Amino acid sequence: KYIGIDTGGTLTKIAYLSADDELQLLAFPSNDLASVKEWICENTKVNAIEAIGATGGRTEQLRSVLEDIRSIHYIVEFEATLKGVRYLLQKEQRDIENAIITNVGTGTSIHYMSDEQHIRVGGTGVGGGTLIGLAALTTGIANYEEINTLANRGKRHEIDLLVKDIYQGMDTPISGDLTASNFGKVGIVEQTDFKKEDILATVQGLVGEVISTLSIQYAEQNNTPNVVYIGSTLSDNDHLKYVMAHYTELKKHTPIFLDDHGYAGAVGALLNM
Ligand code: ATP
Ligand code: MG
């Protein structure tokens, strides 16, 4: 019996199959690998774990914590992620020929996947870490759940400048609902006291739109209509998902969200065993 572990910049994700072959998933903070070891030791008898498939940028740290208890088989992160994505797409009965795969982790990496191949096409430093960092700097709130709860109640229209705000009373050259300038209204109306809810919703807007815009450019370059968004940044984050879905649709592409979006890497590491 095996488990797959994806030790990312922020979260460590674990995937394994239960006795009745159901996929089991759980996560720990990457700065608490001792808890991962504890969990493995407690579950080793119950689930008879023999070896560990590992991926992610912090695998060496995981290895130094675990190597005295289990052997570790490393798989490169992009390979693990794509293996996992293919498995999850099939499990969730999504029949797509090709897609851009956008992994919104601490940072964001973007891949093109077809039936025959997959390649990494690009990425951006704007990701889940940016969301938490900007939220903390602008509102003092660094707790992920609290950020999302407040952002869900927030409004962006007093902070963001839309295309239709600039082209007042005129036909707009592109969709008036597109953002002309994230946070752009602040400097124009010279107001700086905004509700935390609104600031957080707008931070999510910025992060989501940068990632969607870039993803769509890669989708156009590669002639695919689909963008599959994965990564734990989408967890319990309805507003961010809404931003990305809405922007992707505005730009005439199809957004796809997987139920187990945070676990592609861990699933891929498990499948590699
Ligand atoms: P990378 O792949 O870039 O190395 P990672 O694999 O750790 O990073 P993910 O686990 O996919 O990245 O996503 C991390 C992001 O998920 C965080 O930046 C944060 O926005 C969000 N997140 C979701 N749940 C939590 C949580 N419980 N604690 C902290 N961040 C969370
Ligand atoms: Mg990751």
Side-chain angles (χ1 to χ4, degrees), residues 1-4 14-26 28 36-52 70 270:
K1 294 286 284 282
Y2 306 112
I3 59 173
I14 299 183
Y16 64 101
L17 294 174
S18 64
D20 52 352
D21 272 353
E22 284 288 323
L23 185 62
Q24 308 290 315
L25 306 166
L26 72 161
F28 296 88
V36 176
K37 182 176 186 175
E38 205 172 297
W39 181 88
I40 291 172
C41 292
E42 279 170 13
N43 285 272
T44 295
K45 279 204 195 89
V46 189
N47 293 302
I49 297 162
E50 280 168 22
I52 295 165
R70 284 294 172 277
L270 173 66

Side-chain angles (χ1 to χ4, degrees), residues 8-11 13 77 103-107 128-129 131-132 144 231-233 235:
T10 307
L11 297 175
K13 283 75 65 180
E77 181 168 0
N103 185 5
V104 194
T106 312
L131 193 66
I132 297 183
Y144 182 73
S232 306
T233 309
S235 300

Side-chain angles (χ1 to χ4, degrees), residues 82 85-86 89 96-101 111-119 224 228:
L82 269 292
V85 166
R86 287 183 194 276
L89 282 168
I96 54 171
E97 260 173 39
N98 53 18
I100 289 297
I101 312 294
H111 312 260
Y112 170 72
M113 179 193 87
S114 70
D115 279 345
E116 308 87 49
Q117 54 144 353
H118 50 250
I119 46 163
T224 176
V228 179

